Amino acid sequence: MPDIHIRPAQPADLTTITEIYRDAVLHGTATYEIDPPDQAEMTRRFHAITTDGFPYIVAELDGAVIGYAYASYFRSRPAYWWSVEDSIYIAPEAKGRGLGKRLLGQLIKDCTALGFRQFIAVIGDGHDDSASVRLHTSAGFSHSGTIRASGFKHGRWLDTVLMQLEMNGGAATLPEKPPLRGDTF
């Protein structure tokens, strides 16, 4: 897509981010959320992620936000602090144009620079032909497992696929300190 600009998300983007996510909740199966959160809740989530220092980015076309992505801890317990999880959502009119690949590529760069060791994708409605599985495979993620019938949405059971990408040497070396945390482990 020409003229796509990837940049850090700002609070002013949250109206559009909320609309993009609302569509994903109501019409998609990538998220297992059933009721779309309002802008106040999306603002709370945005601040929780960005205050912790995680990347939260948007893609713009001609000044309009058409997709967003962010990374956050895979799980909050201290032993997971070296693992990060991504979330990527694209506006319906912008899907299928390679925007997800650009957003994911930027998240990988940002999370590598932060010092994370494992990048985890938790893919709702995951199957070999899903756009998210194909996207993560093309970025070098490997299949780590499938949780069968783990969600029920739009009248059907959905599988969750786990995919993983090692960064910064993965498990080959011991870390000195957790990313985004000042304490040693």
Side-chain angles (χ1 to χ4, degrees), residues 170-185:
T173 62
L174 298 178
E176 292 181 23
K177 64 178 188 135
L180 303 180
R181 302 280 180 159
D183 18 20
T184 57
F185 193 73

mmCIF file with all atom_site columns, all heavy atoms in Angstrom, residues 170-185:
data_model
loop_
_atom_site.group_PDB
_atom_site.id
_atom_site.type_symbol
_atom_site.label_atom_id
_atom_site.label_alt_id
_atom_site.label_comp_id
_atom_site.label_asym_id
_atom_site.label_entity_id
_atom_site.label_seq_id
_atom_site.pdbx_PDB_ins_code
_atom_site.Cartn_x
_atom_site.Cartn_y
_atom_site.Cartn_z
_atom_site.occupancy
_atom_site.B_iso_or_equiv
_atom_site.pdbx_formal_charge
_atom_site.auth_seq_id
_atom_site.auth_comp_id
_atom_site.auth_asym_id
_atom_site.auth_atom_id
_atom_site.pdbx_PDB_model_num
ATOM 1   N N   . GLY A 1 170 ? 16.643 -15.801 22.147 1.00 0.00 ? 170 GLY A N   1
ATOM 2   C CA  . GLY A 1 170 ? 15.646 -16.690 22.745 1.00 0.00 ? 170 GLY A CA  1
ATOM 3   C C   . GLY A 1 170 ? 16.114 -17.277 24.053 1.00 0.00 ? 170 GLY A C   1
ATOM 4   O O   . GLY A 1 170 ? 16.529 -16.566 24.964 1.00 0.00 ? 170 GLY A O   1
ATOM 5   N N   . ALA A 1 171 ? 16.088 -18.590 24.148 1.00 0.00 ? 171 ALA A N   1
ATOM 6   C CA  . ALA A 1 171 ? 16.467 -19.292 25.372 1.00 0.00 ? 171 ALA A CA  1
ATOM 7   C C   . ALA A 1 171 ? 17.935 -19.718 25.372 1.00 0.00 ? 171 ALA A C   1
ATOM 8   O O   . ALA A 1 171 ? 18.374 -20.397 26.291 1.00 0.00 ? 171 ALA A O   1
ATOM 9   C CB  . ALA A 1 171 ? 15.588 -20.523 25.544 1.00 0.00 ? 171 ALA A CB  1
ATOM 10  N N   . ALA A 1 172 ? 18.704 -19.281 24.371 1.00 0.00 ? 172 ALA A N   1
ATOM 11  C CA  . ALA A 1 172 ? 20.104 -19.726 24.263 1.00 0.00 ? 172 ALA A CA  1
ATOM 12  C C   . ALA A 1 172 ? 21.007 -19.120 25.334 1.00 0.00 ? 172 ALA A C   1
ATOM 13  O O   . ALA A 1 172 ? 22.045 -19.689 25.658 1.00 0.00 ? 172 ALA A O   1
ATOM 14  C CB  . ALA A 1 172 ? 20.648 -19.383 22.875 1.00 0.00 ? 172 ALA A CB  1
ATOM 15  N N   . THR A 1 173 ? 20.621 -17.983 25.868 1.00 0.00 ? 173 THR A N   1
ATOM 16  C CA  . THR A 1 173 ? 21.422 -17.339 26.913 1.00 0.00 ? 173 THR A CA  1
ATOM 17  C C   . THR A 1 173 ? 20.509 -16.870 28.034 1.00 0.00 ? 173 THR A C   1
ATOM 18  O O   . THR A 1 173 ? 19.313 -16.667 27.839 1.00 0.00 ? 173 THR A O   1
ATOM 19  C CB  . THR A 1 173 ? 22.195 -16.126 26.366 1.00 0.00 ? 173 THR A CB  1
ATOM 20  O OG1 . THR A 1 173 ? 21.248 -15.155 25.889 1.00 0.00 ? 173 THR A OG1 1
ATOM 21  C CG2 . THR A 1 173 ? 23.146 -16.518 25.262 1.00 0.00 ? 173 THR A CG2 1
ATOM 22  N N   . LEU A 1 174 ? 21.087 -16.659 29.192 1.00 0.00 ? 174 LEU A N   1
ATOM 23  C CA  . LEU A 1 174 ? 20.326 -16.148 30.321 1.00 0.00 ? 174 LEU A CA  1
ATOM 24  C C   . LEU A 1 174 ? 20.225 -14.630 30.235 1.00 0.00 ? 174 LEU A C   1
ATOM 25  O O   . LEU A 1 174 ? 21.196 -13.965 29.878 1.00 0.00 ? 174 LEU A O   1
ATOM 26  C CB  . LEU A 1 174 ? 20.975 -16.559 31.644 1.00 0.00 ? 174 LEU A CB  1
ATOM 27  C CG  . LEU A 1 174 ? 21.053 -18.057 31.899 1.00 0.00 ? 174 LEU A CG  1
ATOM 28  C CD1 . LEU A 1 174 ? 21.770 -18.326 33.219 1.00 0.00 ? 174 LEU A CD1 1
ATOM 29  C CD2 . LEU A 1 174 ? 19.664 -18.673 31.914 1.00 0.00 ? 174 LEU A CD2 1
ATOM 30  N N   . PRO A 1 175 ? 19.085 -14.076 30.584 1.00 0.00 ? 175 PRO A N   1
ATOM 31  C CA  . PRO A 1 175 ? 18.937 -12.619 30.539 1.00 0.00 ? 175 PRO A CA  1
ATOM 32  C C   . PRO A 1 175 ? 19.569 -11.962 31.763 1.00 0.00 ? 175 PRO A C   1
ATOM 33  O O   . PRO A 1 175 ? 19.691 -12.584 32.817 1.00 0.00 ? 175 PRO A O   1
ATOM 34  C CB  . PRO A 1 175 ? 17.419 -12.433 30.560 1.00 0.00 ? 175 PRO A CB  1
ATOM 35  C CG  . PRO A 1 175 ? 16.912 -13.614 31.299 1.00 0.00 ? 175 PRO A CG  1
ATOM 36  C CD  . PRO A 1 175 ? 17.846 -14.746 30.952 1.00 0.00 ? 175 PRO A CD  1
ATOM 37  N N   . GLU A 1 176 ? 19.980 -10.726 31.581 1.00 0.00 ? 176 GLU A N   1
ATOM 38  C CA  . GLU A 1 176 ? 20.525 -9.976  32.709 1.00 0.00 ? 176 GLU A CA  1
ATOM 39  C C   . GLU A 1 176 ? 19.421 -9.364  33.549 1.00 0.00 ? 176 GLU A C   1
ATOM 40  O O   . GLU A 1 176 ? 19.488 -9.343  34.762 1.00 0.00 ? 176 GLU A O   1
ATOM 41  C CB  . GLU A 1 176 ? 21.460 -8.881  32.209 1.00 0.00 ? 176 GLU A CB  1
ATOM 42  C CG  . GLU A 1 176 ? 22.724 -9.441  31.583 1.00 0.00 ? 176 GLU A CG  1
ATOM 43  C CD  . GLU A 1 176 ? 23.650 -8.346  31.108 1.00 0.00 ? 176 GLU A CD  1
ATOM 44  O OE1 . GLU A 1 176 ? 23.561 -7.216  31.625 1.00 0.00 ? 176 GLU A OE1 1
ATOM 45  O OE2 . GLU A 1 176 ? 24.460 -8.617  30.225 1.00 0.00 ? 176 GLU A OE2 1
ATOM 46  N N   . LYS A 1 177 ? 18.400 -8.812  32.886 1.00 0.00 ? 177 LYS A N   1
ATOM 47  C CA  . LYS A 1 177 ? 17.275 -8.216  33.599 1.00 0.00 ? 177 LYS A CA  1
ATOM 48  C C   . LYS A 1 177 ? 16.048 -8.276  32.694 1.00 0.00 ? 177 LYS A C   1
ATOM 49  O O   . LYS A 1 177 ? 16.177 -8.351  31.480 1.00 0.00 ? 177 LYS A O   1
ATOM 50  C CB  . LYS A 1 177 ? 17.570 -6.775  34.001 1.00 0.00 ? 177 LYS A CB  1
ATOM 51  C CG  . LYS A 1 177 ? 17.762 -5.847  32.841 1.00 0.00 ? 177 LYS A CG  1
ATOM 52  C CD  . LYS A 1 177 ? 17.992 -4.421  33.318 1.00 0.00 ? 177 LYS A CD  1
ATOM 53  C CE  . LYS A 1 177 ? 17.987 -3.504  32.111 1.00 0.00 ? 177 LYS A CE  1
ATOM 54  N NZ  . LYS A 1 177 ? 17.244 -2.338  32.275 1.00 0.00 ? 177 LYS A NZ  1
ATOM 55  N N   . PRO A 1 178 ? 14.868 -8.211  33.283 1.00 0.00 ? 178 PRO A N   1
ATOM 56  C CA  . PRO A 1 178 ? 13.663 -8.249  32.457 1.00 0.00 ? 178 PRO A CA  1
ATOM 57  C C   . PRO A 1 178 ? 13.504 -6.976  31.637 1.00 0.00 ? 178 PRO A C   1
ATOM 58  O O   . PRO A 1 178 ? 13.828 -5.890  32.103 1.00 0.00 ? 178 PRO A O   1
ATOM 59  C CB  . PRO A 1 178 ? 12.531 -8.354  33.484 1.00 0.00 ? 178 PRO A CB  1
ATOM 60  C CG  . PRO A 1 178 ? 13.165 -8.714  34.765 1.00 0.00 ? 178 PRO A CG  1
ATOM 61  C CD  . PRO A 1 178 ? 14.574 -8.225  34.710 1.00 0.00 ? 178 PRO A CD  1
ATOM 62  N N   . PRO A 1 179 ? 13.002 -7.078  30.402 1.00 0.00 ? 179 PRO A N   1
ATOM 63  C CA  . PRO A 1 179 ? 12.701 -5.886  29.622 1.00 0.00 ? 179 PRO A CA  1
ATOM 64  C C   . PRO A 1 179 ? 11.642 -5.043  30.345 1.00 0.00 ? 179 PRO A C   1
ATOM 65  O O   . PRO A 1 179 ? 10.750 -5.581  31.009 1.00 0.00 ? 179 PRO A O   1
ATOM 66  C CB  . PRO A 1 179 ? 12.130 -6.437  28.322 1.00 0.00 ? 179 PRO A CB  1
ATOM 67  C CG  . PRO A 1 179 ? 12.594 -7.851  28.271 1.00 0.00 ? 179 PRO A CG  1
ATOM 68  C CD  . PRO A 1 179 ? 12.719 -8.303  29.680 1.00 0.00 ? 179 PRO A CD  1
ATOM 69  N N   . LEU A 1 180 ? 11.766 -3.753  30.230 1.00 0.00 ? 180 LEU A N   1
ATOM 70  C CA  . LEU A 1 180 ? 10.809 -2.790  30.783 1.00 0.00 ? 180 LEU A CA  1
ATOM 71  C C   . LEU A 1 180 ? 10.696 -2.835  32.296 1.00 0.00 ? 180 LEU A C   1
ATOM 72  O O   . LEU A 1 180 ? 9.820  -2.214  32.875 1.00 0.00 ? 180 LEU A O   1
ATOM 73  C CB  . LEU A 1 180 ? 9.408  -2.963  30.171 1.00 0.00 ? 180 LEU A CB  1
ATOM 74  C CG  . LEU A 1 180 ? 9.312  -2.859  28.657 1.00 0.00 ? 180 LEU A CG  1
ATOM 75  C CD1 . LEU A 1 180 ? 7.873  -3.049  28.201 1.00 0.00 ? 180 LEU A CD1 1
ATOM 76  C CD2 . LEU A 1 180 ? 9.864  -1.550  28.150 1.00 0.00 ? 180 LEU A CD2 1
ATOM 77  N N   . ARG A 1 181 ? 11.552 -3.575  32.947 1.00 0.00 ? 181 ARG A N   1
ATOM 78  C CA  . ARG A 1 181 ? 11.540 -3.665  34.418 1.00 0.00 ? 181 ARG A CA  1
ATOM 79  C C   . ARG A 1 181 ? 12.932 -3.336  34.914 1.00 0.00 ? 181 ARG A C   1
ATOM 80  O O   . ARG A 1 181 ? 13.917 -3.811  34.380 1.00 0.00 ? 181 ARG A O   1
ATOM 81  C CB  . ARG A 1 181 ? 11.161 -5.074  34.902 1.00 0.00 ? 181 ARG A CB  1
ATOM 82  C CG  . ARG A 1 181 ? 9.832  -5.577  34.424 1.00 0.00 ? 181 ARG A CG  1
ATOM 83  C CD  . ARG A 1 181 ? 8.737  -4.982  35.260 1.00 0.00 ? 181 ARG A CD  1
ATOM 84  N NE  . ARG A 1 181 ? 7.462  -5.480  34.792 1.00 0.00 ? 181 ARG A NE  1
ATOM 85  C CZ  . ARG A 1 181 ? 6.379  -5.487  35.501 1.00 0.00 ? 181 ARG A CZ  1
ATOM 86  N NH1 . ARG A 1 181 ? 6.379  -5.048  36.729 1.00 0.00 ? 181 ARG A NH1 1
ATOM 87  N NH2 . ARG A 1 181 ? 5.255  -5.946  35.004 1.00 0.00 ? 181 ARG A NH2 1
ATOM 88  N N   . GLY A 1 182 ? 13.033 -2.560  35.969 1.00 0.00 ? 182 GLY A N   1
ATOM 89  C CA  . GLY A 1 182 ? 14.323 -2.205  36.502 1.00 0.00 ? 182 GLY A CA  1
ATOM 90  C C   . GLY A 1 182 ? 14.900 -3.258  37.429 1.00 0.00 ? 182 GLY A C   1
ATOM 91  O O   . GLY A 1 182 ? 16.092 -3.272  37.706 1.00 0.00 ? 182 GLY A O   1
ATOM 92  N N   . ASP A 1 183 ? 14.057 -4.148  37.914 1.00 0.00 ? 183 ASP A N   1
ATOM 93  C CA  . ASP A 1 183 ? 14.541 -5.143  38.888 1.00 0.00 ? 183 ASP A CA  1
ATOM 94  C C   . ASP A 1 183 ? 15.231 -6.306  38.191 1.00 0.00 ? 183 ASP A C   1
ATOM 95  O O   . ASP A 1 183 ? 15.016 -6.581  37.044 1.00 0.00 ? 183 ASP A O   1
ATOM 96  C CB  . ASP A 1 183 ? 13.410 -5.678  39.757 1.00 0.00 ? 183 ASP A CB  1
ATOM 97  C CG  . ASP A 1 183 ? 12.013 -5.460  39.224 1.00 0.00 ? 183 ASP A CG  1
ATOM 98  O OD1 . ASP A 1 183 ? 11.851 -5.238  38.019 1.00 0.00 ? 183 ASP A OD1 1
ATOM 99  O OD2 . ASP A 1 183 ? 11.082 -5.507  40.027 1.00 0.00 ? 183 ASP A OD2 1
ATOM 100 N N   . THR A 1 184 ? 16.108 -6.938  38.925 1.00 0.00 ? 184 THR A N   1
ATOM 101 C CA  . THR A 1 184 ? 16.725 -8.153  38.395 1.00 0.00 ? 184 THR A CA  1
ATOM 102 C C   . THR A 1 184 ? 15.891 -9.330  38.859 1.00 0.00 ? 184 THR A C   1
ATOM 103 O O   . THR A 1 184 ? 15.112 -9.225  39.793 1.00 0.00 ? 184 THR A O   1
ATOM 104 C CB  . THR A 1 184 ? 18.174 -8.300  38.897 1.00 0.00 ? 184 THR A CB  1
ATOM 105 O OG1 . THR A 1 184 ? 18.171 -8.291  40.319 1.00 0.00 ? 184 THR A OG1 1
ATOM 106 C CG2 . THR A 1 184 ? 19.044 -7.190  38.353 1.00 0.00 ? 184 THR A CG2 1
ATOM 107 N N   . PHE A 1 185 ? 16.083 -10.437 38.221 1.00 0.00 ? 185 PHE A N   1
ATOM 108 C CA  . PHE A 1 185 ? 15.263 -11.601 38.541 1.00 0.00 ? 185 PHE A CA  1
ATOM 109 C C   . PHE A 1 185 ? 16.094 -12.670 39.182 1.00 0.00 ? 185 PHE A C   1
ATOM 110 O O   . PHE A 1 185 ? 17.161 -12.977 38.810 1.00 0.00 ? 185 PHE A O   1
ATOM 111 C CB  . PHE A 1 185 ? 14.610 -12.124 37.257 1.00 0.00 ? 185 PHE A CB  1
ATOM 112 C CG  . PHE A 1 185 ? 13.522 -13.102 37.526 1.00 0.00 ? 185 PHE A CG  1
ATOM 113 C CD1 . PHE A 1 185 ? 12.308 -12.691 38.038 1.00 0.00 ? 185 PHE A CD1 1
ATOM 114 C CD2 . PHE A 1 185 ? 13.714 -14.439 37.284 1.00 0.00 ? 185 PHE A CD2 1
ATOM 115 C CE1 . PHE A 1 185 ? 11.300 -13.606 38.258 1.00 0.00 ? 185 PHE A CE1 1
ATOM 116 C CE2 . PHE A 1 185 ? 12.711 -15.357 37.522 1.00 0.00 ? 185 PHE A CE2 1
ATOM 117 C CZ  . PHE A 1 185 ? 11.495 -14.935 38.003 1.00 0.00 ? 185 PHE A CZ  1
#
